[in-house]
Amino acid sequence: MTSCGQSSDPNDQDCSIAYADSEAASLQGSPPRYDCYGFLVEGDSNTTSAAGEKKGREGKWLDMLRRWNYFASKKQRKIRSRCRKGIPHCLRGEAWFYLSGGYKLLENNFNYYSHLLARRPEKKWVDLINKDITRTFPNHELFNHLKGQEQLYNVLCAYSIHNPIIGYCQSLTPITSVLLMFMPEEQAFWVLVRLCDRYMVEYHVEGMRGIQIDALIVEELVKNHLPRCHNMLSNAGVDAILYVQDWFFCIFSRSLPWPTVLRIWDIYFFEGKRVLFRVALVLIKHSLASLPDNADFYSLLQALKNPPEEVMVDKFLIAESLFYSVGNKDLEKLQKVSLNQYERRQQAQQANKRPGLSLPNGKDVESCSRHATVDSNEKFSLSSAPPSANIDEVFLDSTPFTDTPSSNT
């Protein structure tokens, strides 16, 4: 069965080629060069420091992280403003750890991660993880070495034991890889737990219910904010799930330039998936702007998968995304509408025995879910509530986990 979140993006092939070039360069005696983000540099590409314009804000972020409880309770607008401006690169990992609430989980679950590493994960997950880790960001300096691959393996295996309902899903690999680029593996594990339980609710379960509902929310937002684009997509039969899955599953890490990806993640950890909806609106608007009103299915989908380069630049994309008002109350209403629509579709599909929504690889949504069958009688998560701009929520889930072996592990 195809794992959920699997993409046909040719970037994976480009990464493999880049890695091969790196090995060839090493054999020829010239060591590979990496940019400020740790990615392989080809030719005379620029390797300028990522700190640059953000250096002046490092002191402010250091002070804020030292007094985190005060800022989290009294200065949330200040945190939001600084996240939107971009987190200094050298502090990004620590900032994400605090913004997500992962630090609180680590404090309240001392040695839990070590206990998970001491246990044996299911062989089916081990086989899939081993298959995926060697082809995830192979052109990054961390993952073209055994040490980085071992860290990635550890976190994914630990999570498969921690959450047997999900086990392992291919889309967890790029997310975990990004986290490991900025923080130690135990911290990365707890932020991954936070992401799956708080930000990406029901994304990685059988049927991918969460992302299907979010795709329907995108359709409603496009209808409200971009009526021309809505008509074009609707007339051509392009459902949002066809392009949203690549964007949202990996939080744009496989779809946009790296500086833009990091800026989105900076905001995402504080504001939740509202930023994903806003970014999606900008990409849809500009990707379809030059197409005729009667553009066909394949032209529309191709345009959405290849937005104009100038639109993907972080300063432009983030600034324009903030023009769209997508507040918590708006999302609550759209969530109800989209949930009702989703349930009606599911009932109709079951009644008529029709296949589910079609994905770009020709498979339906149900067959493109994770590898395991879900036991509907089990539930193990910190919270089922989605994140909001109220950062007080990160302090709510403080109950320690137990390391008692589950009957499903």
Side-chain angles (χ1 to χ4, degrees):
M1 182 182 292
T2 305
S3 56
C4 66
Q6 187 169 4
S7 170
S8 58
D9 194 327
N11 286 339
D12 284 343
Q13 298 175 2
D14 294 340
C15 289
S16 299
I17 295 172
Y19 183 38
D21 290 343
S22 172
E23 288 185 319
S26 299
L27 291 174
Q28 294 172 5
S30 57
R33 296 169 59 242
Y34 298 94
D35 66 13
C36 54
Y37 301 108
F39 288 96
L40 181 70
V41 173
E42 297 181 4
D44 297 325
S45 300
N46 187 15
T47 58
T48 304
S49 170
E53 60 181 357
K54 300 180 180 66
K55 200 173 184 77
R57 294 200 290 275
E58 289 178 10
K60 295 179 180 179
W61 270 94
L62 282 170
D63 176 65
M64 186 164 68
L65 292 170
R66 280 194 296 263
R67 299 190 292 153
W68 183 252
N69 289 340
Y70 167 73
F71 275 87
S73 60
K74 304 291 185 181
K75 299 286 186 179
Q76 293 179 24
R77 289 183 180 271
K78 180 64 69 175
I79 298 175
R80 183 182 68 178
S81 174
R82 290 178 179 176
C83 287
R84 288 180 174 183
K85 291 178 182 178
I87 300 172
H89 194 66
C90 63
L91 298 174
R92 190 163 259 131
E94 186 177 2
W96 289 356
F97 189 51
Y98 276 84
L99 286 164
S100 66
Y103 79 101
K104 202 68 175 178
L105 297 182
L106 177 57
E107 287 178 359
N108 291 313
N109 295 279
F110 185 69
N111 279 338
Y112 177 75
Y113 181 68
S114 298
H115 284 293
L116 293 178
L117 293 182
R119 290 169 56 187
R120 181 177 297 178
E122 291 189 47
K123 184 179 184 301
K124 60 181 177 180
W125 301 140
V126 171
D127 292 343
L128 290 169
I129 291 169
N130 277 325
K131 179 180 177 182
D132 289 338
I133 59 175
T134 57
R135 55 189 186 187
T136 302
F137 295 117
N139 61 337
H140 191 277
E141 60 181 341
L142 178 63
F143 301 111
N144 62 21
H145 293 91
L146 184 60
K147 180 180 178 180
Q149 294 180 9
E150 287 179 345
Q151 292 175 354
L152 182 57
Y153 174 87
N154 287 343
V155 175
L156 293 173
C157 285
Y159 187 80
S160 73
I161 298 170
H162 165 76
N163 191 339
I165 294 177
I166 292 176
Y168 172 70
C169 174
Q170 191 181 46
S171 59
L172 295 176
T173 307
I175 293 174
T176 306
S177 299
V178 176
L179 296 175
L180 286 169
M181 293 176 193
F182 294 94
M183 62 187 74
E185 65 178 81
E186 186 172 12
Q187 292 185 8
F189 168 78
W190 285 116
V191 177
L192 178 64
V193 169
R194 198 64 174 179
L195 283 171
C196 293
D197 289 341
R198 199 66 152 176
Y199 296 77
M200 310 175 80
V201 179
E202 295 188 301
Y203 266 40
H204 306 99
V205 297
E206 187 75 26
M208 305 185 302
R209 182 175 183 269
I211 199 168
Q212 289 199 65
I213 293 172
D214 283 350
L216 293 172
I217 291 176
V218 169
E219 291 182 0
E220 292 296 321
L221 288 170
V222 172
K223 183 192 298 184
N224 296 338
H225 293 277
L226 306 171
R228 176 179 178 268
C229 294
H230 169 73
N231 291 334
M232 294 170 67
L233 294 167
S234 179
N235 292 337
V238 180
D239 292 323
I241 190 65
L242 299 177
Y243 50 90
V244 162
Q245 63 151 356
D246 285 340
W247 294 347
F248 286 13
F249 257 132
C250 302
I251 321 174
F252 290 102
S253 61
R254 294 167 61 97
S255 309
L256 295 174
W258 200 245
T260 307
V261 170
L262 298 180
R263 291 287 306 279
I264 291 172
W265 282 53
D266 291 346
I267 302 171
Y268 182 64
F269 278 113
F270 181 76
E271 300 186 37
K273 57 188 173 185
R274 289 188 302 164
V275 65
L276 305 188
F277 293 125
R278 293 197 298 257
V279 168
L281 287 173
V282 177
L283 294 176
I284 293 168
K285 173 186 174 182
H286 290 280
S287 296
L288 306 187
S290 62
L291 297 182
D293 291 347
N294 62 346
D296 61 31
F297 178 94
Y298 295 102
S299 298
L300 290 167
L301 203 56
Q302 189 68 14
L304 290 167
K305 287 182 173 293
N306 299 279
E309 289 187 9
E310 63 274 14
V311 175
M312 296 189 289
V313 175
D314 60 325
K315 291 183 179 179
F316 176 87
L317 184 57
I318 298 300
E320 179 140 341
S321 71
L322 296 177
F323 281 107
Y324 291 105
S325 176
V326 184
N328 288 334
K329 291 184 178 180
D330 298 323
L331 283 183
E332 287 176 5
K333 294 179 181 178
L334 292 174
Q335 182 88 8
K336 292 179 181 179
V337 172
S338 299
L339 179 58
N340 290 334
Q341 186 178 353
Y342 168 79
E343 290 176 345
R344 288 197 301 270
R345 286 189 180 185
Q346 292 295 105
Q347 291 171 1
Q349 289 169 8
Q350 291 175 5
N352 299 321
K353 296 183 179 180
R354 292 192 304 223
L357 292 172
S358 176
L359 296 177
N361 58 12
K363 297 182 180 296
D364 60 61
V365 169
E366 295 294 332
S367 67
C368 193
S369 57
R370 68 181 180 83
H371 300 281
T373 301
V374 172
D375 181 350
S376 60
N377 295 320
E378 286 197 338
K379 187 175 182 181
F380 187 79
S381 67
L382 297 176
S383 172
S384 59
S388 71
N390 186 352
I391 202 170
D392 287 341
E393 292 187 2
V394 304
F395 303 112
L396 297 180
D397 300 322
S398 57
T399 304
F401 294 110
T402 67
D403 57 357
T404 303
S406 167
S407 59
N408 280 350
T409 59

